[in-house]
Amino acid sequence: MPRMPKWMGDAVESLMASKFLTVTVTEVEYLSPEVKRVCFTGDLSRADFDAGYAVTFRVSALDHRDYTPGVFTKDTCEIIFHIHGNGPGSAFADSLQVGDTTKMVIPRGRKLYREGVENFFFGDESSIGTLKAIMQEVPCTGILELDEVNFRVPEKLGMQVDVVRKGSHSFDLVNEKAAYVLTGNGESIQRFRKLLKGKGVSSSQIITKAYWIPGKKGL
């Protein structure tokens, strides 16, 4: 639900109150000028979570945005926000301060990893939280294509992953049975998927999740 009239957003919050969790900001950290780590706390005990699930925030009177937590426990939710421009999602993330209280929709979605095989991850700034969550579930290697200003963000989070400039898609296949998790920019996902197919990787081994597409709002 990226955008809806204010009256409809108010009605959804009222009629579906059981689907919303009230949380308070307890920690904020700018990992770079464009990447902000925010910890929310509250009673999250009735929510199910798996790596790849997303929560939704009402970021303005009209707009809603989905974010994938890097950490989600019974009382803590950590989100790595990419503050990439002047849109309502970026403005919301940039404005969050310790002590702020807000609501988020309970996590939902699909698991973005495979158990029992090696997992190779591809993504960008919008994918950092997803990769962090996956790394807590299964062994995972991969590539993050980042703007240079964000190169040290994974290191600051204690994540061991290759960092490359945008558009650098050189890589080695993990093994013939590996799962390939492609996230972030929809156009980059398409290019990377084509490279995988050219190397003989089956479609059944590829998991995709686009978080944004250039020129499109509210994905």
Side-chain angles (χ1 to χ4, degrees):
M1 49 179 181
R3 189 173 179 84
M4 62 178 66
K6 182 180 183 302
W7 69 265
M8 187 178 295
D10 294 342
V12 168
E13 287 191 23
S14 177
L15 297 173
M16 301 181 65
S18 63
K19 301 295 184 181
F20 286 80
L21 302 169
T22 299
V23 291
T24 300
V25 177
T26 54
E27 188 176 348
V28 299
E29 178 186 9
Y30 281 90
L31 301 170
S32 79
E34 297 180 354
V35 179
K36 183 178 183 180
R37 182 179 69 87
V38 180
C39 286
F40 302 88
T41 62
D43 180 7
L44 313 180
S45 59
R46 58 189 175 88
D48 294 323
F49 180 78
D50 210 335
Y53 285 18
V55 297
T56 301
F57 289 94
R58 189 176 184 180
V59 298
S60 73
L62 304 178
D63 299 283
H64 298 74
R65 293 292 185 270
D66 292 341
Y67 299 97
T68 303
V71 174
F72 195 95
T73 68
K74 297 302 181 182
D75 59 9
T76 300
C77 173
E78 178 196 86
I79 295 179
I80 310 298
F81 290 99
H82 181 209
I83 302 171
H84 53 78
N86 297 320
S90 288
F92 169 78
D94 201 21
S95 71
L96 289 171
Q97 300 179 27
V98 172
D100 288 351
T101 297
T102 187
K103 293 181 180 180
M104 66 182 184
V105 179
I106 59 175
R108 76 273 180 240
R110 61 190 175 102
K111 181 172 70 175
L112 293 181
Y113 64 92
R114 298 263 172 84
E115 296 176 293
V117 298
E118 292 187 60
N119 286 255
F120 180 95
F121 188 91
F122 170 77
D124 58 19
E125 286 88 351
S126 66
S127 314
I128 294 173
T130 305
L131 177 56
K132 182 175 181 180
I134 291 173
M135 284 182 158
Q136 296 171 63
E137 299 296 332
V138 292
C140 185
T141 59
I143 295 172
L144 287 174
E145 58 167 21
L146 306 177
D147 290 325
E148 191 166 351
V149 69
N150 303 317
F151 271 15
R152 294 193 60 218
V153 169
E155 177 187 347
K156 290 180 180 180
L157 292 169
M159 299 165 60
Q160 294 185 349
V161 61
D162 291 335
V163 174
V164 300
R165 288 180 172 82
K166 298 283 177 72
S168 302
H169 295 166
S170 176
F171 67 99
D172 295 320
L173 292 178
V174 179
N175 64 49
E176 62 180 16
K177 296 183 179 179
Y180 292 85
V181 184
L182 314 182
T183 67
N185 180 351
E187 293 181 355
S188 293
I189 289 172
Q190 290 180 348
R191 289 193 293 268
F192 205 94
R193 188 177 190 277
K194 185 176 180 180
L195 288 173
L196 288 174
K197 298 288 287 182
K199 290 177 178 284
V201 176
S202 168
S203 296
S204 63
Q205 296 172 251
I206 302 173
I207 303 169
T208 63
K209 179 62 177 178
Y211 292 137
W212 65 283
I213 296 174
K216 184 173 182 178
K217 295 182 179 180
L219 188 65

